Amino acid sequence: MDDLDKPIAYGRTAEIFAWGENQVLKLFHAWVGFEAVEYEYRIARAVQSCGLPVPQVGEIVEYKGRYGITCQRMEGISMTESLARAPWKILRYARRMAELHARVHAVTHPADIPPLHPKIARKILQATSLPARLRQKALSRLEKLPEGHGLCHGDFHPDNILLTPQGEVILDWMDAGTGNPLADLARTSIILKGSIESGQIRHPLLKRLAHLFHRAYLAQYFSLRPGGESEYALWLPIIAAARLSEHIPELEGWLLAQAEQGFSQPLPE
């Protein structure tokens, strides 16, 4: 095998290289073990079988002691990048993102996708900055909410939607699970609102546009899958508590406040 060219993209766990004429290689860093790579490969194959717009996965390869996954090369830019170039498309993209998310959630009982509830519980237990009383409230409420059987992406936001000449492609399914779509919707809300509250978006006008995007996304989602607004609100503090496990310093104060405020509201009878 010839030496690889310079990476075309970088991530926390892997580098992306051109691979042949129409593929890329996601080459994981040496500290990422084979089990983790094989798990991501199995998830990618399972999601591919659901008929969603995702890159076609190839095979697992080994290169100089590192493991990687080959997949179809997709030419395009992320929805985030496109919004930065054309902010007047904000409502169109927000609604389109909601349509894609609803399409994901319409897949029920997907084969070989692990359950979501235990993954959320593990994250809550791993959130070291979460006070014990809030941890107990989060786990207790999680136990009371319906588990569901829909396909959940686990990290659905504009950075993970690639705009290509052939249409949108949904990327990064590592955190996929089978569970309650409203939990997945709450995860996206916490990501979108957190990007504003963390100071990542500073300009007042851009903040207003980001809030508008979030509101339009939710409105379109609930127009397509109506009736879950109240339960969605119950998921928000649970997902905020779980996200504390990701140790994002600039978000910790806001996430704790979301959990505190959400758990102060009693569950409906």
Side-chain angles (χ1 to χ4, degrees):
M1 185 183 298
D2 296 332
D3 286 341
L4 296 173
D5 294 328
K6 184 179 178 181
I8 57 177
Y10 299 87
R12 186 182 68 83
T13 60
E15 298 170 308
I16 309 297
F17 296 88
W19 186 261
E21 292 185 3
N22 58 359
Q23 287 189 312
V24 295
L25 170 66
K26 183 176 183 178
L27 187 63
F28 293 86
H29 298 305
W31 54 266
V32 180
F34 178 78
E35 286 186 2
V37 176
E38 198 269 339
Y39 174 81
E40 182 164 337
Y41 177 75
R42 283 190 289 109
I43 294 293
R45 291 293 297 266
V47 170
Q48 181 180 308
S49 70
C50 296
L52 294 168
V54 298
Q56 301 298 296
V57 69
E59 59 184 352
I60 296 177
V61 301
E62 183 179 0
Y63 178 78
K64 294 186 177 180
R66 297 165 62 183
Y67 295 104
I69 299 172
T70 64
C71 68
Q72 178 186 8
R73 182 167 188 167
M74 310 297 299
E75 299 293 343
I77 62 173
S78 72
M79 184 176 283
T80 299
E81 187 177 349
S82 184
L83 273 169
R85 297 179 183 181
W88 57 88
K89 295 181 180 179
I90 191 165
L91 292 179
R92 183 199 310 176
Y93 282 162
R95 291 166 184 153
R96 185 59 187 144
M97 189 171 104
E99 291 163 4
L100 287 168
H101 213 178
R103 181 177 172 185
V104 171
H105 293 159
V107 177
T108 56
H109 300 279
D112 300 321
I113 303 290
L116 185 64
H117 251 57
K119 295 176 71 172
I120 296 174
R122 282 196 299 273
K123 287 187 173 185
I124 292 169
L125 289 169
Q126 292 165 0
T128 55
S129 60
L130 187 66
R133 61 183 179 81
L134 291 181
R135 179 178 294 106
Q136 187 54 47
K137 286 183 178 181
L139 293 171
S140 176
R141 183 170 292 187
L142 175 64
E143 195 173 305
K144 293 173 183 174
L145 291 177
E147 294 191 17
H149 305 287
L151 175 61
C152 298
H153 181 278
D155 200 28
F156 195 81
H157 53 77
D159 274 344
N160 282 335
I161 300 172
L162 187 69
L163 308 182
T164 80
Q166 294 75 38
E168 300 93 343
V169 176
I170 305 170
L171 307 175
D172 195 5
W173 289 86
M174 182 62 181
D175 291 318
T178 301
N180 193 320
L182 294 171
D184 202 36
L185 185 72
R187 164 77 179 181
T188 296
S189 278
I190 291 295
I191 291 171
L192 293 177
K193 292 198 291 184
S195 68
I196 303 168
E197 302 300 330
S198 67
Q200 186 177 337
I201 301 173
R202 296 182 179 276
H203 194 283
L205 176 58
L206 293 181
K207 281 190 173 185
R208 287 198 292 272
L209 289 175
H211 281 298
L212 176 62
F213 182 94
H214 181 234
R215 290 195 299 270
Y217 156 76
L218 286 179
Q220 181 71 358
Y221 183 91
F222 283 120
S223 75
L224 297 169
R225 296 176 62 91
E229 291 90 341
S230 297
E231 188 183 329
Y232 152 80
L234 297 177
W235 278 104
L236 288 170
I238 298 173
I239 300 303
R243 193 159 199 223
L244 284 163
S245 67
E246 297 169 37
H247 305 295
I248 307 170
E250 62 271 23
L251 274 181
E252 284 199 358
W254 180 77
L255 290 171
L256 282 168
Q258 295 302 296
E260 187 80 62
Q261 180 182 349
F263 294 137
S264 69
Q265 306 297 320
L267 284 171
E269 297 294 333

